[in-house]
Amino acid sequence: MGMELLSVSQVEPRRVMWIVGMIFALVIVVQRLELPYGNLLSSILSAAKVPLTSLSTSQMVGNVSLLNDLSFVEKKNTTDNAFLDSKTRNERDTTDEVVINSTAGFLTASPVSPTVNSSPKVGAPTIVVDSNVTLVEKDGTASSEKTKNSEQLHNDLKQTQHNSSLIRAPEVNKEPEVPVLDVYSMSDMKNLLLQSRASDHSVIPQWSSTVDEELQYAASQIENAPIIKNDPTLYAPLYRNLSMFKRSYELMEVTLKVYLYREGERPILHKPVLTGIYASEGWFMKQMEADKKFVTTDPRKAHLYYLPFSSLLLEETLYVRDSHSYTNLVQYLKNYVDTIAVKYPFWNRTGGADHFLVACHDWAPTETKKYMARSIRALCNADVKEGFVFGKDVSLPETYVHTAKNPLRNIGGNRPSKRPILAFFAGKLHGYVRPILLQHWENKDPDMKIFGRLPKGKGNKNYAHHMQSSKYCICAKGYEVNSPRVVEAIFYECVPVIISDNFVPPFFEVLNWESFAVFVLEKDIPNLKNILLSIPENRYLLMQMRVRKVQQHFLWHAKPEKYDIFHMILHSIWHNRLHQIKPR
């Protein structure tokens, strides 16, 4: 009997220890499941009034791994979710805002008092944002459709954000890796473009969406586009692949939806400048904000998100003359991105990869490379050596618009037989290339009309007359690689001669530029006339005819037309977004 009692007394402690061990293992498993799969544990703990003090999440955006360490501080009448229904939100005394500590890539959260501020202020240490997603129509009033669906939107966000929608976009310091060359020839650029298509540009979103499936479908349709040899509207030799371009354009027309953020104050945001050398960004902004075909008021349906700021007005409004510092301009854009990233979940879903900007000022690459580096950047200053990324960024045409009422004034030029001037250039002598050009060719040869600034004639007729009467129009870089003369040459039906090393010409992913333009290396300026004379007459006539045919892609119309510059810019952005998606 004594032995039996001893045996039982030994078994019971073992059983208790086994049960305790199983419970401990179960807790560990539940905690492990919490990390990749969301709010399960935090919901349980929150219901039990147990504070969840920390949560680490390793997330992938593109090919970059970001370790986000968020500390959630439990306070009276607060919750873990920033997107709450309006009843709960009205009962709260405080709200939590995520404030970035960029040291070593870690993020921390700290509580602040609730204040609504949808307009970023330069130099402000934090941005306080209303956690309610309010969608506003163009007239500034809340959309009735959006008000009706607001509760559903919040419910959807609570299911998808995984405690990450409050994370602001991190600083990106790593420059894109490209071969180190002094000069990138057109052949080198084509190779970089092909490499970008072959590489893995896929962006892994933090949660799936139906728009991803739509993009995958479009990408697969384009890869298997039916062969087109002739088209009544599009001249095949102008394009790298006419069949794929046309299929891509058709799918863009029926598929693409763009959400346009209404946050931000004028003049830097939502104020298009429609004249001058930087007019491209203004005309695009004007026509995008007025668009009814591509723009959606439901951000959940958007394939792309537009950040409508003016790089020209950013410089004119905030730059401190002679300071030689972009710091406050970059800070303004950071604050704006923080506003978007905190107020909406969509930036953080892809790290900004499905967002785009259109900026023509020379400084735009520098202003956007830190906090908008993963976004699709349409840039006039498309310089391979200054961070332009093939397969992601877009070369934006720089268009000099003289009058907003009639952007097509004086379009066209003389027929080839009425163009007695071999080559023409006139302009300011800023940068290092133009003084070299004039040193070798000003007043040196009657066939080469190379000048500094021409005397101003009424309506710029003197300058336009020379372009309309020249076979070749010299497009020499200024301070940066871009110049409005490239589009001006096409506007006046003059074959462009581009002298700007490392410049990526507009719509490079679609157009075969060497079929209608001449590229001369900067070092070959002394041999410029011989290079032009070496082009056979029949080759020149063919190129000039192609300039006339490609012209439709570089024209602004008061109301956008099929295949015009507005649609081509949008297509290039759509095209590069599709390259981030793996076809299914």
Side-chain angles (χ1 to χ4, degrees):
M1 183 66 177
M3 293 298 292
E4 292 177 358
L5 288 173
L6 179 61
S7 177
V8 170
S9 65
Q10 291 176 341
V11 169
E12 289 302 325
R14 292 177 184 173
R15 182 176 300 171
V16 170
M17 291 178 65
W18 182 82
I19 293 173
V20 170
M22 289 297 292
I23 293 174
F24 180 77
L26 181 61
V27 170
I28 295 299
V29 170
V30 172
Q31 288 178 333
R32 289 287 185 183
L33 289 174
E34 168 63 8
L35 292 179
Y37 297 112
N39 300 332
L40 175 61
L41 184 57
S42 61
S43 300
I44 296 172
L45 294 175
S46 177
K49 302 298 182 182
V50 178
L52 182 62
T53 58
S54 65
L55 175 66
S56 296
T57 304
S58 180
Q59 60 188 32
M60 285 295 295
V61 180
N63 295 326
V64 182
S65 179
L66 304 175
L67 182 61
N68 298 322
D69 186 19
L70 278 69
S71 298
F72 290 87
V73 181
E74 192 76 16
K75 303 190 81 175
K76 182 179 179 181
N77 295 326
T78 61
T79 67
D80 294 328
N81 200 322
F83 293 93
L84 304 174
D85 59 63
S86 58
K87 179 178 178 181
T88 304
R89 194 159 39 244
N90 291 335
E91 293 173 353
R92 292 180 60 178
D93 296 327
T94 61
T95 186
D96 289 342
E97 180 199 8
V98 174
V99 180
I100 282 195
N101 176 359
S102 61
T103 304
F106 289 96
L107 311 179
T108 60
S110 60
V112 296
S113 58
T115 307
V116 178
N117 181 7
S118 61
S119 176
K121 302 297 181 184
V122 175
T126 61
I127 294 186
V128 186
V129 183
D130 181 8
S131 60
N132 182 19
V133 178
T134 302
L135 306 177
V136 180
E137 292 296 327
K138 294 174 185 176
D139 60 1
T141 59
S143 166
S144 59
E145 178 185 354
K146 288 296 163 246
T147 302
K148 182 178 179 181
N149 294 330
S150 178
E151 183 175 352
Q152 180 61 42
L153 175 59
H154 293 309
N155 291 335
D156 291 346
L157 296 177
K158 285 191 287 186
Q159 296 299 320
T160 57
Q161 65 180 339
H162 300 309
N163 282 332
S164 64
S165 64
L166 293 181
I167 303 171
R168 296 185 188 179
E171 177 180 339
V172 177
N173 290 317
K174 186 178 180 181
E175 293 288 342
E177 295 181 2
V178 295
V180 180
L181 301 175
D182 289 332
V183 177
Y184 292 82
S185 66
M186 290 299 292
S187 177
D188 295 326
M189 292 184 192
K190 283 187 280 189
N191 289 335
L192 288 173
L193 181 63
L194 292 173
Q195 290 171 21
S196 76
R197 291 174 175 174
S199 63
D200 185 4
H201 277 280
S202 61
V203 174
I204 302 174
Q206 290 195 18
W207 64 87
S208 61
S209 172
T210 56
V211 299
D212 299 330
E213 296 179 1
E214 293 168 355
L215 291 173
Q216 287 177 335
Y217 174 78
S220 65
Q221 288 290 301
I222 294 166
E223 281 201 352
N224 298 287
I227 301 299
I228 298 174
K229 294 184 178 180
N230 294 298
D231 185 89
T233 307
L234 303 173
Y235 183 60
L238 294 175
Y239 307 95
R240 297 188 181 282
N241 188 314
L242 174 61
S243 303
M244 294 182 73
F245 167 64
K246 184 164 186 179
R247 185 64 180 134
S248 178
Y249 190 97
E250 291 170 346
L251 287 166
M252 178 188 76
E253 287 188 307
V254 299
T255 306
L256 177 60
K257 294 299 176 187
V258 177
Y259 184 72
L260 196 155
Y261 288 112
R262 303 294 176 182
E263 283 70 19
E265 296 178 353
R266 292 173 177 241
I268 296 173
L269 292 116
H270 309 291
K271 184 179 179 180
V273 177
L274 303 180
T275 58
I277 62 174
Y278 302 125
S280 287
E281 67 179 25
W283 275 84
F284 182 87
M285 184 190 298
K286 175 182 180 291
Q287 296 190 336
M288 192 81 256
E289 292 196 330
D291 180 80
K292 295 181 180 178
K293 180 176 183 179
F294 297 106
V295 172
T296 178
T297 55
D298 186 348
R300 295 168 299 179
K301 296 180 180 179
H303 306 91
L304 289 164
Y305 299 82
Y306 176 36
L307 304 167
F309 77 93
S310 167
S311 61
L312 169 62
L313 291 177
L314 179 67
E315 182 269 336
E316 290 184 352
T317 305
L318 298 179
Y319 178 66
V320 178
R321 187 172 296 277
D322 299 325
S323 67
H324 306 292
S325 173
Y326 309 120
T327 302
N328 60 333
L329 285 69
V330 174
Q331 181 66 35
Y332 184 94
L333 293 181
K334 176 187 182 299
N335 290 349
Y336 175 60
V337 170
D338 285 348
T339 297
I340 298 302
V342 176
K343 186 171 183 179
Y344 299 87
F346 307 105
W347 175 278
N348 297 303
R349 194 178 84 92
T350 62
D354 53 3
H355 288 57
F356 72 93
L357 59 97
V358 176
C360 197
H361 195 276
D362 290 352
W363 298 351
T366 300
E367 295 163 356
T368 59
K369 69 179 181 180
K370 263 192 177 182
Y371 301 105
M372 298 178 173
R374 292 195 186 100
S375 300
I376 300 169
R377 303 180 303 163
L379 304 168
C380 287
N381 187 2
D383 189 338
V384 180
K385 302 192 77 171
E386 293 296 328
F388 183 91
V389 182
F390 286 94
K392 181 183 75 69
D393 294 334
V394 170
S395 180
L396 177 67
E398 184 170 344
T399 56
Y400 196 145
V401 178
H402 296 276
T403 171
K405 292 183 178 180
N406 184 14
L408 300 183
R409 187 182 67 181
N410 297 329
I411 188 173
N414 299 334
R415 61 181 183 269
S417 62
K418 298 294 183 180
R419 291 179 176 263
I421 302 171
L422 176 64
F424 165 71
F425 172 84
K428 295 180 181 179
L429 299 185
H430 54 275
Y432 64 86
V433 168
R434 295 179 185 185
I436 295 173
L437 179 66
L438 266 68
Q439 175 189 342
H440 286 278
W441 295 109
E442 185 180 27
N443 299 321
K444 298 292 197 311
D445 192 305
D447 293 330
M448 305 287 283
K449 303 297 183 182
I450 308 297
F451 310 105
R453 295 193 68 179
L454 289 176
K456 287 188 177 180
K458 186 178 180 180
N460 201 37
K461 288 183 178 179
N462 195 16
Y463 181 86
H465 172 74
H466 276 82
M467 277 204 157
Q468 291 169 330
S469 304
S470 300
K471 289 182 170 64
Y472 299 98
C473 290
I474 309 302
C475 308
K477 67 177 289 185
Y479 288 125
E480 304 295 344
V481 293
N482 47 301
S483 167
R485 285 166 181 77
V486 177
V487 175
E488 283 179 333
I490 295 171
F491 190 89
Y492 294 119
E493 299 174 2
C494 180
V495 175
V497 179
I498 299 174
I499 307 177
S500 180
D501 292 351
N502 306 314
F503 172 57
V504 183
F507 314 137
F508 184 71
E509 66 284 343
V510 169
L511 295 179
N512 178 18
W513 271 83
E514 289 175 296
S515 70
F516 60 90
V518 178
F519 292 84
V520 175
L521 297 178
E522 294 168 10
K523 69 180 181 63
D524 291 332
I525 288 176
N527 200 34
L528 179 59
K529 183 177 181 180
N530 289 336
I531 291 172
L532 298 180
L533 290 177
S534 70
I535 300 172
E537 180 69 11
N538 61 347
R539 172 66 180 171
Y540 160 72
L541 293 173
L542 185 61
M543 295 175 75
Q544 202 271 342
M545 178 269 290
R546 290 171 176 173
V547 166
R548 297 198 309 271
K549 288 186 177 293
V550 82
Q551 187 185 73
Q552 65 171 327
H553 297 321
F554 293 90
L555 302 180
W556 292 109
H557 300 276
K559 184 178 180 181
E561 297 182 5
K562 192 179 182 74
Y563 297 125
D564 71 355
I565 189 170
F566 169 76
H567 287 97
M568 289 296 289
I569 294 170
L570 194 59
H571 176 267
S572 289
I573 295 165
W574 153 264
H575 174 279
N576 285 2
R577 174 65 181 131
L578 288 178
H579 271 289
Q580 299 171 341
I581 302 294
K582 290 181 179 179
R584 60 183 183 183

